């Protein structure tokens, strides 16, 4: 079974600084998708960024970028120019095309003004 | 577009009772998935509905059942509630075909006392 591991239960970052959240996963598949979701206190899961395993280029969405290392099964999220609104739980998730999402346990990110 | 809506937002039930949670998918989506998120954990997949049939199921007992209606909305039913069923229940909608993003609702917080 696929598993997703987030080894950092909590992280903090100064406003305007950069922070990297770690994620590793275990799979024997070659085609899959990886995601980072943000869950603020409002509880709604919001997609931050996604990466298709067949793409070598790392995904980027404005201040959010990933470092996807397929051989190492590593998928880290970098948040640049951190803002107070970035404070939330961040979940790394994996799925194949036709399977449900498998989530990690999450990383709580605090942003210090 | 109202996105994914779930009701109720909060619910308190007594052990042994039964509960029904409801989800309306994002307009145009035909697939609904349910997840259970215990406190401090990532969401765990319960089951997925498409064309009014349960299509996939996670590792949850038969006390957890569901239904999908012709308008694609869905219900999650839990019988014989246990204290351990206390959690945030998230609904996600998507399109079965094609590589589409899953959109989440804000969840129903269930407390079993």
């Amino acid at each position: 079974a696929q598993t997703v591991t987030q080894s950092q239960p909590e992280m903090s970052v100064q406003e305007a600084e950069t922070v990297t959240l770690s994620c590793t996963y275990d799979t024997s598949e070659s085609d899959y998708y990886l995601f980072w979701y943000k869950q603020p206190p409002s509880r709604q899961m919001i997609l931050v960024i996604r990466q298709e395993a067949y793409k070598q280029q790392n995904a980027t969405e404005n201040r959010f970028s990933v470092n996807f290392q397929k051989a190492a099964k590593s998928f880290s999220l970098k948040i640049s120019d951190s803002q107070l609104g970035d404070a939330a739980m961040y979940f790394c998730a994996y799925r194949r095309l036709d399977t449900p999402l498998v989530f990690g346990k999450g990383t709580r990110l605090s942003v210090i003004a | 577009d109202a996105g994914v809506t779930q009701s109720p937002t909060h619910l308190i039930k007594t052990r042994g009772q039964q509960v029904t949670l409801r989800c309306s998918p994002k307009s145009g989506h035909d697939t609904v998935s349910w997840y259970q998120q215990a406190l401090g954990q990532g969401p765990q997949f319960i089951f997925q509905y498409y064309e009014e049939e349960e299509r996939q199921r996670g590792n949850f007992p038969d006390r957890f059942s569901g239904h999908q209606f012709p308008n694609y909305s869905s219900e999650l039913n839990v019988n014989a509630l246990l204290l351990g069923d206390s959690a945030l229940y998230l609904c996600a909608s998507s399109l079965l075909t094609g590589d589409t993003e899953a959109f989440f609702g804000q969840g129903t917080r269930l407390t079993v006392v």
Side-chain angles (χ1 to χ4, degrees), chain B residues 48-108:
Chain B
Q48 182 184 77
Y49 276 83
Y50 171 71
E51 289 192 341
E52 304 178 50
E53 296 286 334
E54 182 181 291
R55 191 171 165 273
Q56 296 185 66
R57 189 179 183 91
N59 188 25
F60 279 80
D62 293 343
R63 298 186 298 108
F64 289 77
S65 63
H67 189 77
Q68 185 180 35
F69 299 93
N71 66 354
Y72 306 116
S73 67
S74 177
E75 289 181 349
L76 163 65
N77 300 293
V78 186
N79 295 322
L81 283 167
L82 304 174
L83 295 179
D85 295 331
S86 296
L88 179 67
Y89 289 85
L90 294 167
C91 169
S93 75
S94 60
L95 278 172
L96 186 68
T97 56
D99 178 23
T100 59
E101 173 188 345
F103 285 79
F104 283 82
Q106 288 188 306
T108 295

Side-chain angles (χ1 to χ4, degrees), chain A residues 37 45 101 103, chain B residues 4 6 23-26 29-35 47-49 72 74 89-95 101-105:
Chain A
Y37 280 89
M45 286 282 190
L101 290 162
F103 288 88
Chain B
V4 179
Q6 291 186 242
C23 172
S24 293
K26 179 178 170 62
H29 283 181
D30 57 12
T31 302
V32 173
S33 301
W34 287 91
Y35 293 81
F47 44 53
Q48 182 184 77
Y49 276 83
Y72 306 116
S74 177
Y89 289 85
L90 294 167
C91 169
S93 75
S94 60
L95 278 172
E101 173 188 345
F103 285 79
F104 283 82

